[in-house]
Amino acid sequence: AKYCSLVANGTAALHLTGIALGWGKNDVVLSSPITFLAGPNSVIYSGATPNFADIDETTYNISTFDLEKKIKKLKLLGKNIKAVIATDYAGQPCDWKTLRKLADKYRLHLINDNCHAIGAKYFGNIGYASKFADVVIHSYHAIKNITTGEGGAVFSNNKKIINKISSLKTHGL
């Protein structure tokens, strides 16, 4: 990605992303139910409501078919869907081409929870994460495949998002 902001951990990366993207009351953020608690918690911390799309039974990643069904259903109910947090589960990338199409179609922010897939390739491309997602989250916790013992990062090609996160993490300094 063009820009990066280092943070204390992956949870902080997700939390600050939610604030930077303006999630709040009456907003819904969709995710896979197979993820670490930090994703849904970051949605709650921002005042928004997490909701879940089912997984693909082959990849265990978020099902793009179920995701679109969920988006349509929630929109019919008048819900304001702001974003999708897609987790690359167990080092296996999601269907990012379809996720990007859905995010564009429904005007949603797309976040790649890349914490367990650092170094993974999507169609041979190690840089896929920032190509498809608006924001990419890393964690360098001790259980990750690349670790500093703790730590995290937010990546984006959008300088405004990174500048906002950098300001938030330093209390506006």
Side-chain angles (χ1 to χ4, degrees):
K2 292 180 184 177
Y3 309 103
C4 174
S5 185
L6 298 176
V7 295
N9 51 48
T11 300
L14 286 161
H15 183 194
L16 293 172
T17 295
I19 295 169
L21 295 178
W23 304 344
K25 188 177 179 181
N26 301 320
D27 294 334
V28 173
V29 177
L30 292 163
S31 182
S32 164
I34 296 184
T35 190
F36 184 63
L37 242 17
N41 280 347
S42 70
V43 176
I44 294 167
Y45 298 155
S46 69
T49 302
N51 202 311
F52 301 95
D54 207 352
I55 61 165
D56 178 288
E57 293 179 11
T58 304
T59 66
Y60 300 108
N61 285 324
I62 195 166
S63 163
T64 54
F65 175 77
D66 193 65
L67 177 64
E68 186 163 29
K69 275 181 25 183
K70 180 71 72 148
I71 291 168
K72 288 178 180 178
K73 180 180 177 182
L74 291 171
K75 285 200 171 281
L76 281 173
L77 295 172
K79 302 294 183 182
N80 185 33
I81 306 164
K82 295 284 275 205
V84 173
I85 302 173
T87 302
D88 287 338
Y89 182 70
Q92 182 169 299
C94 295
D95 179 356
W96 286 102
K97 289 180 182 179
T98 304
L99 286 169
R100 181 76 261 163
K101 286 178 187 174
L102 291 174
D104 291 342
K105 180 177 179 178
Y106 294 103
R107 293 187 241 174
L108 307 173
H109 283 117
L110 185 55
I111 295 93
N112 179 332
D113 181 340
N114 192 249
C115 296
H116 279 276
I118 299 169
K121 293 181 181 178
Y122 181 66
F123 291 102
N125 182 355
I126 200 167
Y128 73 92
S130 62
K131 177 180 177 183
F132 292 100
D134 300 304
V135 177
V136 179
I137 305 299
H138 276 190
S139 169
Y140 307 119
H141 185 270
I143 66 165
K144 303 302 192 270
N145 57 340
I146 294 178
T147 182
T148 59
E150 191 58 87
V154 182
F155 297 90
S156 182
N157 290 320
N158 184 319
K159 190 175 184 176
K160 287 182 182 180
I161 292 171
I162 295 300
N163 285 346
K164 178 83 174 188
I165 288 169
S166 294
S167 177
L168 288 165
K169 75 178 183 183
T170 60
H171 306 278
L173 298 176

